[in-house]
Amino acid sequence: MSWTRKILRVNLSKGSCTPEPLNMEWAMEYLGQRGLASKYLSEEVDPTCDALGPDNKLIMATGPLTGTSASTAGRYSVICKSPLTGAIAASNSGGFFGPEMKFAGWDMIIFEGKSEKPVYLLIQDDQVELRSAEDIWGKSAWETDDILHATHQDPQMRIAIIGRTAEAGCLYAGIINDRHRAAGRSGVGTVMASKNLKAVAIRGTGGIGNLEDADKFFEAVDAGKKVLADGAVTGQGLPTYGTQVLMNVINGVGGLPAHNMRDVGFDGAGDISAEAMAEPRKSDGKPNLVTGAGCFACTIACGRISTIDKTHFSVKDKPQYHGASGGLEYEAAWALGADTGVSDLDALTYVNFLCNEDGFDPISFGATVAAAMEMFQDGDLTTKDTGGIELKFGSAEALVAITELLVTGEGFAKDLGMGSKRLCDKYKRPELSMTVKSQEFPAYDPRGIQGMGLGYATSNRGACHLRGYTVASEVLGIPVKTEMNDAEGKPELVKAFQDATALVDSAGLCIFTTFAWGMDDIAPQIDAACEGDWSVEGCLEVGERIWNMERIFNQAAGFTADDDKLPKRMLKEAIKSGPTKGQVSRLGEMLPKYYEIRGWNPKGEVTAETRERLSL
Amino acid sequence: MQHIIIGAGPAGVIAAETLRKCDPAASVTIIGDEPEPPYSRMAIPYYLSDNIDEAGSYLRDPSTHYSKYSIELVQERVEKVDSKAKQVTLSDSSTRNYDKLLLATGSRAISPPIPGLDLPQVHSCWTLVDARHIIELAKPGANVVLIGAGFIGCIILEALVKRKIKLTVVETGNRMVPRMLNDKAGGLLKQWCIDKGIDVHTSCSVESVKAADNGEVQVSLSDGSKLPAALVITATGVKPNIEMLEGTDIKLDLGVLVNHSMQTSNSDVYAAGDVAQGIDFSTGNFEVQAIQPTAADHGRIAALNMAGNITEHHGTLNMNILDTLGLVSCSFGLWMGVDGGEQAELYNPGEFQYINLQFDGDCLVGASTIGKTQHIGVLRGLIESRINLGHWKERLLKDPTCIMEAYIASTQELGYS
Amino acid sequence: MQKSLHIDPGKCTGCLQCEMACSYDNTGTFNPSRSYIKVFTFHDEGRFAPYTCTQCDEAWCMHACPVDAISVDLATGAKIISDDKCVGCKVCTIACPFGTVNYSQATGKVVKCDLCGGDPECAKACPTGAITYIDADWTGYDRMMASAAKSLPSAEATH
Ligand SMILES: Cc1cc2nc3c(=O)[nH]c(=O)nc-3n(C[C@H](O)[C@H](O)[C@H](O)COP(=O)(O)OP(=O)(O)OC[C@H]3O[C@@H](n4cnc5c(N)ncnc54)[C@H](O)[C@@H]3O)c2cc1C
Ligand code: SF4
Ligand code: SF4
Ligand code: SF4
């Protein structure tokens, strides 16, 4: 039993904090974190509610392994209805915040209602209190982090914070913890802001010691660590290069979209790649990359800590950005870089710092800027709209300026903050929005990598790579190589990845472990830590149950098969050059089969039999 | 070689052990006047709170330690030192000759001139004998008045409360531990005590103690209150034990003056611990610090020099740590700051948290904290190593909690600048 | 030859596996707040520095203890706390200039690294080799420790 078995319910309207026991029956069916919190959300929130209204709830949840020594067991998730998509949101973050929540004795925190005035939640073990946040409202996440650490005179306190973009209503604002870890996608930070909740500050000193079978646990955990150390990606690629190891790889195979996905293949990829980050700069002889960094318990350490050239135009007169901070991850480098055509590594690093400092999703932001750039190019947007910014593809100056503008929440920032779907609708070019369910695509072209296209279309939180990372198989050959352009077999592949991911996201582990771990590595760790049956089969069933539960939430929110679709560009505009030249997404071939193997009817609805099979 | 050590407190015992280590052939004698085996005064509060028994206060296991290291223990009072004849006279009139003499006689509690402090219900809290008296009178529910909220007063306060008595504290200063904490910190400590149900009177003095009919006493305060008490404890200051030096050539001031090697003005006589007026690290002046770590350092350095290992030290740092009913406070060095120096401060009265750092130029010279227990020793490291903090000073000014980071970054090669 | 913990901050990723291993060994819980080894984060520098007692020769903590509760483990050279004797006075915590002996609210005693009796858990748990337990030769860490200690009083200048 590695749950603390305790959840905290915070009613922000009433200002009350109430402990309650974790529903262990549900824990047996949904494990924890993403799955279990989504169950709570499904039970407690009307899927049709206004995502930014008081009826939505925001759940911060850990998994049963969170806070243990299992590799990567430092994750927590934020679950709510998304204001960006209107679908269920589950954003996952590493760092050290989740484990601290467990050490303080809590599996989960459920925020409900809306506070009249800005507040933050202070948790010191079982002492819990809402405090006024009036003097930190309006401050960046980084400033808030400094202020709260100083106020509580505790450098070890772990804090999850929203930045100014969330306060300004940007629909893809996330929640930042440990300065550069983020529950980034789907606007979970915007929901937090809508509740007038600025931060959650936690200090836990109780620890976790209730392993079901300690000997077995250490055995399974040690075996797991060894598999990660021996894996090519987890033992070498990611530790050495971070996720940015993918930039040249994906570009090389013809899967890297560019210029709002108009093109595939980016000439500047090498300049913004992991290899470039390690290269000494001309100006000061230092590389962009300072070190790799791990999240709690992580033996992979894909995280990057970077610096910006102090003489670079973006930070020349801004000494506050001269120190090291969270560097580029692949998705951010793609969205901020390739998708906007910008190949200036320092500019991207700076913009990435701002994403962390003020808590907004670099994928959605970068992709929204890319869409705006295409409209600017086509004349749908002019400098009159953009506040004077020459929003040209490839312009680092424009990217920096527009990012600084976004943080202010003023003028064009309001348009940009709506995300690409609403932006393109407003300026009458809906076809230029590269989104599914209003959420922006990440860094893999669905035309080049077929499985990812199906994955984006069916992802329960809108376009996303982290619901089923078939790139592992389609590009890297993990666990087996499938052909990128094959449509056949992809529905099965996508389903398998989606279900396994749902389980991993519910355990407290990081999805990157699956570059080396299969369910037979993962299940024994859960099984040794937790009471109940966590065999491989049991785990996979839980994963599938979670996926279907999320789908049912979305159905109730009004989503139909009509929302499982890709933009026309993916289906009609063939890739113009490179190894994947001529390809389009063959979603139409894959989707019916996918519905079928999911046990859904042709309209994409979860059937009664499936519900029964999965006890839903 | 005959080494004689007067005083069987920590300074004396550590000196004897060091002498034995450096000079295996020498004969080492400790002459102490207390009836118990060598013990530590610092342990008295824990004895008072029943945390340990008397034996728990012993500096070493008396049944084996001293014989194992051939340290002779003599239980007698030294009445007189004759530094010319290199001889000491004991209370039984016997004499002993020495080659090197260490004065480790510590200090004793003194009472202010208040009428009635000679009553049997009034005790200081300095020795095990005192402690036994206190235990006798501090029955659960008894009214106890503690005169003096200085360091010693505060350190026994928790032990007294644990005896379930009703405590009143009277302090002439405007706050608690005025010589260890500033207004803000001392004020926090006072508030903490009040919140814990202790009656605290600051800026207030005791005018008299009078016997009452019921075998108790009545304590009259300058603010007009009259308090009944079964026990009155005085913790109003101490005075070095130097009477036996009268008529010698050994230079005295507040205590026995010693140089960097703990040597007195007589080259065969050394002094250590509470009795010694040695060099203060922070000021470079000669001061009596009266704290345990200083007694330990003094004892060791004096012994090294007595054994012929010429050793100088740069002075001892004045530092204290205090746990008052769960609230830990501490202070180091020039906690009150220096002229022209900068300070960093975080004051969070709601949480009873405080940290104050004092700088002289780029060096940390003093600090005080409330509510901190982790890594506080590094404040000593930062001060005593006189690390030039460079840009870490700016960081500490912004966030004084990052003391450990400042120390590590200033002493380790982190491989990145 | 006696061994000592050798720490190479350049290799550390800040994963806290060492803190978990230490706290699990000492308390039976994964509980970094009760680990005897502590990893400090230098955010602006992009560095992590694991830090614990160096079992220094001066043993400031041991000499300052009023009740003889700290002694040297002859097998490992570790300065170890005897819980039976420790009264929790905390004097050692201000005497250690490295800040590596600390009061534990949970036990009312002080705690510090005891080298796990000669088989340190942190070194075993570290995935990057940032902590190793090796022959106590003149390692960089020792040099650092010596230089830091040198300027302390009574870490005496001998003529
Ligand atoms: C209740 C209490 C709590 C304390 N708590 C702390 C604390 O938390 N931290 C801290 O740093 N310090 C504390 N101290 C102070 C600390 O105990 C002293 O600084 C320390 O004991 C000094 O050691 P010493 O060896 O110099 O003197 P002492 O311990 O006083 O020993 C001197 C010995 O010499 C004997 N002696 C004196 N004259 C003669 C003579 N003529 N002939 C023979 N023997 C003689 C005395 O009787 C005594 O036994 C506390 C003191 C008390 C009383
Ligand atoms: S705790 Fe400090 S003083 Fe004690 S041995 Fe370790 S480093 Fe030395
Ligand atoms: S806290 Fe314990 S080990 Fe430390 S000095 Fe006091 S009695 Fe000794
Ligand atoms: S286990 Fe190793 S890499 Fe991880 S924090 Fe500790 S020293 Fe650093």
Side-chain angles (χ1 to χ4, degrees), chain A residues 395-433:
Chain A
S395 166
E397 288 76 8
L399 176 68
V400 164
I402 203 95
T403 312
E404 289 174 344
L405 179 71
L406 183 85
V407 171
T408 67
E410 303 290 334
F412 190 57
K414 291 207 165 51
D415 286 350
L416 271 185
M418 300 188 298
S420 128
K421 174 77 171 59
R422 293 169 176 84
L423 180 78
C424 293
D425 283 353
K426 174 168 173 182
Y427 291 95
K428 313 234 156 31
R429 295 294 303 278
E431 76 283 6
L432 293 187
S433 170

Side-chain angles (χ1 to χ4, degrees), chain A residues 1-16:
Chain A
M1 171 191 111
S2 242
W3 299 274
T4 68
R5 287 171 171 258
K6 240 170 66 190
I7 68 180
L8 180 65
R9 192 175 287 278
V10 179
N11 187 311
L12 292 160
S13 304
K14 294 192 208 141
S16 64

Side-chain angles (χ1 to χ4, degrees), chain C residues 6-37:
Chain C
H6 176 61
I7 291 177
D8 180 353
K11 288 186 177 162
C12 178
T13 62
C15 71
L16 306 193
Q17 283 284 353
C18 51
E19 294 192 9
M20 274 186 285
C22 177
S23 58
Y24 199 88
D25 189 55
N26 291 304
T27 68
T29 56
F30 299 114
N31 193 351
S33 74
R34 292 184 65 186
S35 170
Y36 305 162
I37 187 162

Side-chain angles (χ1 to χ4, degrees), chain C residues 10-158:
Chain C
K11 288 186 177 162
C12 178
T13 62
C15 71
L16 306 193
Q17 283 284 353
C18 51
E19 294 192 9
M20 274 186 285
C22 177
S23 58
Y24 199 88
D25 189 55
N26 291 304
T27 68
T29 56
F30 299 114
N31 193 351
S33 74
R34 292 184 65 186
S35 170
Y36 305 162
I37 187 162
K38 199 87 218 138
V39 180
F40 291 90
T41 303
F42 294 84
H43 186 265
D44 288 356
E45 287 77 9
R47 275 289 176 269
F48 305 94
Y51 200 72
T52 192
C53 166
T54 59
Q55 317 298 346
C56 70
D57 288 340
E58 289 80 8
W60 312 92
C61 59
M62 184 168 91
H63 295 301
C65 177
V67 294
D68 207 17
I70 306 181
S71 58
V72 181
D73 177 338
L74 292 175
T76 61
K79 316 296 178 290
I80 53 178
I81 313 279
S82 156
D83 271 3
D84 292 344
K85 288 190 188 162
C86 172
V87 295
C89 74
K90 310 172 194 66
V91 161
C92 55
T93 71
I94 56 170
C96 167
F98 308 104
T100 50
V101 50
N102 289 301
Y103 181 65
S104 163
Q105 219 88 44
T107 61
K109 317 263 172 191
V110 291
V111 292
K112 69 181 287 297
C113 170
D114 57 5
L115 293 176
C116 301
D119 190 17
E121 295 294 333
C122 56
K124 285 191 282 183
C126 177
T128 65
I131 311 176
T132 46
Y133 190 54
I134 56 170
D135 285 344
D137 59 358
W138 199 232
T139 61
Y141 190 55
D142 295 335
R143 226 174 297 133
M144 176 288 292
M145 180 188 109
S147 76
K150 207 162 58 207
S151 45
L152 296 168
S154 51
E156 45 276 338
T158 303

Side-chain angles (χ1 to χ4, degrees), chain A residues 84-108:
Chain A
L84 182 69
T85 65
I88 193 164
S91 285
N92 182 308
S93 178
F96 300 84
F97 178 78
E100 202 68 22
M101 189 164 143
K102 286 281 283 282
F103 300 147
W106 306 100
D107 285 318
M108 222 186 254

Side-chain angles (χ1 to χ4, degrees), chain B residues 22-137:
Chain B
C22 300
D23 191 352
S27 85
V28 179
T29 303
I30 305 180
I31 308 173
D33 64 353
E34 289 193 73
E36 301 84 5
Y39 70 90
S40 176
R41 307 207 182 292
M42 272 194 65
I44 288 174
Y46 307 94
Y47 173 53
L48 286 181
S49 60
D50 289 336
N51 194 326
I52 51 171
D53 57 12
E54 276 198 25
S57 74
Y58 297 164
L59 281 159
R60 308 288 182 255
D61 180 349
S63 62
T64 58
H65 186 79
Y66 303 99
S67 53
K68 182 169 161 205
Y69 291 97
S70 310
I71 295 168
E72 184 193 9
L73 281 183
V74 177
Q75 248 171 20
E76 206 69 59
R77 186 177 164 71
V78 172
E79 297 293 348
K80 196 172 151 35
V81 172
D82 183 340
S83 58
K84 287 212 181 72
K86 297 183 49 164
Q87 194 179 62
V88 296
T89 309
L90 309 192
S91 44
D92 61 1
S93 303
S94 64
T95 59
R96 294 223 173 195
N97 295 329
Y98 65 80
D99 294 308
K100 302 279 178 197
L101 177 70
L102 177 64
L103 305 165
T105 50
S107 43
R108 63 173 176 276
I110 48 165
S111 299
I114 298 169
L117 291 191
D118 49 354
L119 287 165
Q121 293 88 344
V122 183
H123 294 280
S124 57
C125 182
W126 194 249
T127 62
L128 275 178
V129 173
D130 294 335
R132 285 181 216 123
H133 288 298
I134 290 171
I135 288 173
E136 182 85 2
L137 293 170

